[in-house]
């Protein structure tokens, strides 16, 4: 019985296709046309990928990494590098903000990277819908601690555009990842302007490297400065003691040779 019903349905479907094939063709053409329009009307995007090798020095490096993680309130684990936390640091506003406010030269013009991104994506137009005063906005100051409210708003929006929100990085323009086995970290930036994409990837790497090196060596630099100050103090005390001994010798022999 079931086989007979199945044959009936098949015949009905074939009969409908024979009489309405043109309707099905029109629907398919519309779908294909929509996909082609979406494909060709979308601005081309360019990907700039920078890769770097991460050294795994086990416990010896965790002291430096631990001090960096502590700056953001992130716990550090013992053993080898916790690259996931290092990538989390790279997405912090402290790093990305420096990238946005860094000066670059494009097309013979030197300006902050954030201003080039705003122009490229016409962000002024979308921002002005909620904030009319942002219609002609440009960063005027590259010092994060001196930004005005409008610049802080723009910095926050660009930060989200580049690395995504705190819980969703899937649509971010900058994707950070690393090989689970070889520890090769990658900074991959996808933008509609190839030059801006290249500058963004390079600056992300440079700012993370500079910040990590500074934080990792900061406590050692402090120890060095303390030891250097102690050394100078001991040298001064030693010279003072030497002079006092020479003075005593000269006084006892009624000469001036030792002091001189």
């Amino acid at each position: 019985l079931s086989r007979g019903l199945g044959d009936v349905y098949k015949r009905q479907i074939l009969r409908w296709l024979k009489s309405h094939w043109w309707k099905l063709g029109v629907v398919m053409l519309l779908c294909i046309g929509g996909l082609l329009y979406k494909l060709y009307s979308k601005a081309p995007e360019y990907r700039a990928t920078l890769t770097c090798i991460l050294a795994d020095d086990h416990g010896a490096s965790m002291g430096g990494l631990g001090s960096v993680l502590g700056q953001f309130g992130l716990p550090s684990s013992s053993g080898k590098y916790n690259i996931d936390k290092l990538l989390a640091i790279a997405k912090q506003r402290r790093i990305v903000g420096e990238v946005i406010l860094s000066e670059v030269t494009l097309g013979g013009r030197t300006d902050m990277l954030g201003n080039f991104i705003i122009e490229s994506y016409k962000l002024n137009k979308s921002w002005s819908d909620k904030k009319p005063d942002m219609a002609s906005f440009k960063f005027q100051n590259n010092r994060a601690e001196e930004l005005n409210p409008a610049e802080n708003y723009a910095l926050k929006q660009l930060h989200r555009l580049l690395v995504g929100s705190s819980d969703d990085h899937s649509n971010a323009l900058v994707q950070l990842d690393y090989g689970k086995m070889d520890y090769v970290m990658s900074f991959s930036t996808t933008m509609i302007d190839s030059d801006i994409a290249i500058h963004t990837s390079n600056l992300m790497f440079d700012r993370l490297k500079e910040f990590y090196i500074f934080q990792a060596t900061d406590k050692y630099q402090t120890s060095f400065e303390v030891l250097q100050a102690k050394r100078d103090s001991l040298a001064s005390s030693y010279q003072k003691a030497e002079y006092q001994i020479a003075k005593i010798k000269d006084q006892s022999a009624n000469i001036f040779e030792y002091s001189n």
Side-chain angles (χ1 to χ4, degrees), residues 11 22 32 55-56 88 90 150 175 198 215 241:
R11 286 196 295 270
W22 62 275
I32 294 173
D56 184 8
Q175 296 291 331
I198 292 171
Q215 293 297 334

Side-chain angles (χ1 to χ4, degrees), residues 43-150:
E45 294 183 332
Y46 305 91
R47 177 173 299 173
T49 301
L50 182 150
T51 58
C52 58
I53 298 175
L54 302 175
D56 184 8
D57 294 332
H58 296 276
S61 298
M62 278 309 299
L65 181 58
S67 66
V68 178
L69 298 176
Q71 296 293 320
F72 294 92
L74 298 173
S76 61
S77 60
S78 59
K80 61 185 178 181
Y81 266 22
N82 191 330
I83 311 300
D84 289 321
K85 289 186 174 65
L86 187 59
L87 291 180
I89 291 175
K91 297 172 185 176
Q92 297 293 319
R93 180 171 172 176
R94 184 169 182 175
I95 301 296
V96 181
E98 291 183 2
V99 172
I100 294 170
L101 298 177
S102 296
E103 287 192 346
V104 298
T105 300
L106 293 173
R109 169 186 150 210
T110 300
D111 202 347
M112 281 172 274
L113 179 67
N115 288 332
F116 285 113
I117 297 175
I118 291 171
E119 293 175 8
S120 179
Y121 285 90
K122 298 180 174 58
L123 297 176
N124 291 105
K125 184 177 180 180
S126 59
W127 292 346
S128 62
D129 292 339
K130 294 182 178 179
K131 295 179 174 289
D133 57 326
M134 300 291 288
S136 58
F137 171 83
K138 283 188 64 176
F139 284 105
Q140 302 295 332
N141 184 15
N142 62 357
R143 296 178 62 86
E145 63 275 11
E146 298 177 3
L147 298 180
N148 59 41

Side-chain angles (χ1 to χ4, degrees), residues 8 46 123 224 238 257:
V8 171
Y46 305 91
L123 297 176
F224 170 76
Y238 177 74
E257 178 183 357

Side-chain angles (χ1 to χ4, degrees), residues 151-184:
E151 289 173 323
N152 271 314
Y153 174 82
L155 187 65
K156 182 179 179 181
Q157 298 301 317
L158 288 175
H159 175 258
R160 181 175 298 179
L161 177 67
L162 288 179
V163 297
S165 60
S166 58
D167 55 350
D168 184 15
H169 304 285
S170 58
N171 295 322
L173 297 181
V174 180
Q175 296 291 331
L176 308 178
D177 201 359
Y178 68 95
K180 305 301 180 182
M181 300 301 295
D182 54 20
Y183 287 175
V184 175

